Amino acid sequence: MDTGRVLPRNANYMDHLPLAMSSKTKRRTFFPVNGQSFTATGNNIIRIDISGDSFLDTKNSYLSFRFNNTSGQACGLDFGAGHGFIRRLRIEQAGNVLTDCNNYNKLVSAILLPSQGDRDSVRSRSVTENCRFNNDKANGNSTAVCPATDVTGASVSTPANGAGQFVNNAVAPPGAPTAGSTGTFCIPLVNGLLGLNQQKMIPLQLLGSSPITIEIELCPTLDIGVFAAAPGAAYTIDTVRYVAQMVETPPELDAQLRMVQEQSGGAIMLSGVDYTNFQGTIQAGATGQQNINVPARRRSIKSILWTGASKTFVAGGGLAQDANYNLSFGGNFNMTEYSVKVGSIQYPSEPVKCEYGLAAGPAGVRSEHVTEIEKVFGTLGSTVGVGSLTGFNFATSDCDVAEMTGIIAPANADASYKFCPFAIDMEAFQRVTAGHDGVNTADRSTPISLQLTVGAAAGDAISIDAFVCYDSLFYIDATGNIRVNF
């Protein structure tokens, strides 16, 4: 009689590993097709075509470029470092836009990296992106060299400035990014098709003569960080290349891939996670509930992220844009509670309490706020936590320019970036149609709005950057064209 007993795995000699197909990996470099040198005020669009007869492994591919400090002033890079130079990231094929993220540098600098990049991330980015690491208050000036002794002294977990291994003729490397210095950056792209969110390799051999195009728009000079004085010129980017990991396979796999494509209705599907940006404004002195329209039409909204800061800079002095890290900065709006309304339904049904505008100290009830962020980027109770967010730098100030982190004199207290991302996980509330998780606003054009209750008036008008995180489905048809469904 069969009792259903099976051999233990370590004694089952019939359990062989599957046979692998032979493959060869190689590194291939793709260069811009519209120039060799780019600047924020001139040729500020970089276009790179990607094509080939093999698979593209996006998880092991990255963008590399050289930053030339031609501004005439010493500078300190913002927390986003290499990502901070990209104002807009678009992926196209044959004129068809597949993904488009405006204010990409704001998304990465103020939300994704603070919420996901912990101390180890900052440590490695100090090499790949020239981030400052472990600077203490004695060396807190944004344009000072970070001495080796800092790593053994009292240090800040999220460094206040962005200098690092820059090649400079005036000082021995590693030196501060003074005028005339250069630094090389290597960054992975945050994107649904070509970024770290892509789970599958892309079969470039199926695309024929229509390459995938990466289009990068450079950001204004004053957004990349702080300067010793107002810069007299723009920075320059050159030596740009997309370093791709290509995987070559036997012809039999290509034949099988095309057979799968034919059996799947003529298209192969890839999935990824993308972001789209919407902006709003809360006027100076406003209190009570403020509704910010987020007109996203997507079938599978995973989460909604936002951050806010004033753009009321002055000419010269400590409140000038060149003296502040405005890209990564986020304020707490003096907000008492918040929620998201989709159509007639409010998520969550009970607004998230934060009470920033009511607390006697610099911060309100931050625990509920950070727990909602943890639901989006991790798991509740995880020992990893949420990136670089700490009681030292999280939600400690309102959105006014006067509260931003700027150039700090060495004798002053420790200087750190100030972060305040907001996030609501929409997948936690609704799972509807098969193949789409989260909230669907596309089928009925359902309106979305942020409901933010401001408890105390802000001195400046608040500019809000909201990002909708959603699932994208990419279909490669028999003619090599890619179409996207979101």
Side-chain angles (χ1 to χ4, degrees), residues 306-425:
W306 70 94
T307 185
S310 169
K311 294 184 179 179
T312 311
F313 300 103
V314 301
L319 301 184
Q321 186 174 354
D322 59 81
N324 287 278
Y325 294 103
N326 62 284
L327 198 60
S328 62
F329 173 76
N332 59 32
F333 298 82
N334 290 327
M335 194 156 46
T336 59
E337 62 181 26
Y338 61 89
S339 61
V340 173
K341 192 171 186 179
V342 181
S344 59
I345 304 175
Q346 178 178 291
Y347 300 97
S349 57
E350 183 71 22
V352 179
K353 304 294 183 182
C354 48
E355 300 183 2
Y356 295 122
L358 304 178
V365 183
R366 292 182 287 178
S367 58
E368 199 169 328
H369 177 181
V370 78
T371 301
E372 292 299 321
I373 298 176
E374 193 172 6
K375 286 167 60 178
V376 173
F377 293 108
T379 304
L380 293 183
S382 170
T383 57
V384 178
V386 278
S388 300
L389 302 181
T390 69
F392 182 77
N393 60 28
F394 175 65
T396 56
S397 60
D398 61 25
C399 297
D400 294 346
V401 169
E403 298 292 332
M404 288 187 184
T405 301
I407 298 177
I408 305 298
N412 290 352
D414 289 349
S416 178
Y417 298 117
K418 295 180 180 180
F419 307 120
C420 193
F422 291 85
I424 289 184
D425 183 12

Side-chain angles (χ1 to χ4, degrees), residues 20 51 105 118 150 166 178 199 291 308 353 362 395 433:
S51 60
N105 49 6
D118 60 7
D150 276 5
F166 275 76
T178 57
Q199 299 299 319
N291 295 320
K353 304 294 183 182
T433 59

Side-chain angles (χ1 to χ4, degrees), residues 127-465:
V127 179
T128 60
E129 300 180 49
N130 300 284
C131 294
R132 279 298 281 277
F133 177 68
N134 274 18
N135 57 306
D136 60 23
K137 68 177 182 180
N139 301 282
N141 193 318
S142 61
T143 59
V145 177
C146 182
T149 53
D150 276 5
V151 298
T152 58
S155 60
V156 182
S157 60
T158 52
N161 34 57
Q165 299 174 359
F166 275 76
V167 178
N168 189 301
N169 292 329
V171 296
T178 57
S181 61
T182 63
T184 299
F185 295 76
C186 294
I187 60 173
L189 295 178
V190 179
N191 179 264
L193 182 61
L194 296 180
L196 300 178
N197 292 327
Q198 180 53 251
Q199 299 299 319
K200 293 183 174 65
M201 293 189 295
I202 299 177
L204 297 179
Q205 64 269 39
L206 298 184
L207 303 185
S209 60
S210 300
I212 298 175
T213 301
I214 302 174
E215 182 181 284
I216 295 170
E217 180 183 339
L218 298 178
C219 75
T221 302
L222 292 178
D223 279 342
I224 68 173
V226 298
F227 295 83
Y235 64 88
T236 304
I237 297 293
D238 61 16
T239 321
V240 183
R241 52 190 180 271
Y242 184 76
V243 183
Q245 187 80 3
M246 310 294 286
V247 180
E248 296 180 346
T249 56
E252 293 80 8
L253 180 59
D254 292 347
Q256 183 181 8
L257 193 62
R258 294 185 185 278
M259 182 179 66
V260 172
Q261 186 180 44
E262 183 178 354
Q263 294 175 347
S264 303
I268 288 181
M269 186 187 75
L270 307 174
S271 62
V273 177
D274 272 313
Y275 300 88
T276 184
N277 172 245
F278 300 93
Q279 293 184 307
T281 303
I282 296 179
Q283 300 300 324
T287 57
Q289 181 170 301
Q290 307 295 314
N291 295 320
I292 306 299
N293 187 32
V294 184
R297 301 293 177 260
R298 299 293 186 269
R299 288 185 174 85
S300 179
I301 296 178
K302 300 173 68 67
S303 58
I304 297 180
L305 322 169
W306 70 94
T307 185
S310 169
K311 294 184 179 179
T312 311
F313 300 103
V314 301
L319 301 184
Q321 186 174 354
D322 59 81
N324 287 278
Y325 294 103
N326 62 284
L327 198 60
S328 62
F329 173 76
N332 59 32
F333 298 82
N334 290 327
M335 194 156 46
T336 59
E337 62 181 26
Y338 61 89
S339 61
V340 173
K341 192 171 186 179
V342 181
S344 59
I345 304 175
Q346 178 178 291
Y347 300 97
S349 57
E350 183 71 22
V352 179
K353 304 294 183 182
C354 48
E355 300 183 2
Y356 295 122
L358 304 178
V365 183
R366 292 182 287 178
S367 58
E368 199 169 328
H369 177 181
V370 78
T371 301
E372 292 299 321
I373 298 176
E374 193 172 6
K375 286 167 60 178
V376 173
F377 293 108
T379 304
L380 293 183
S382 170
T383 57
V384 178
V386 278
S388 300
L389 302 181
T390 69
F392 182 77
N393 60 28
F394 175 65
T396 56
S397 60
D398 61 25
C399 297
D400 294 346
V401 169
E403 298 292 332
M404 288 187 184
T405 301
I407 298 177
I408 305 298
N412 290 352
D414 289 349
S416 178
Y417 298 117
K418 295 180 180 180
F419 307 120
C420 193
F422 291 85
I424 289 184
D425 183 12
M426 306 304 290
E427 286 186 307
F429 300 110
Q430 187 172 358
R431 299 184 181 275
V432 283
T433 59
H436 293 286
D437 292 338
V439 173
N440 185 346
T441 62
D443 292 346
R444 298 183 180 180
S445 297
T446 310
I448 304 176
S449 63
L450 304 179
Q451 297 186 136
L452 316 178
T453 303
V454 178
D460 301 343
I462 302 172
S463 178
I464 300 174
D465 278 287

Side-chain angles (χ1 to χ4, degrees), residues 39 41 69-75 179 221-222 227-236 322:
T39 180
T41 55
N69 186 10
T70 53
S71 66
Q73 299 291 338
C75 72
T221 302
L222 292 178
F227 295 83
Y235 64 88
T236 304
D322 59 81

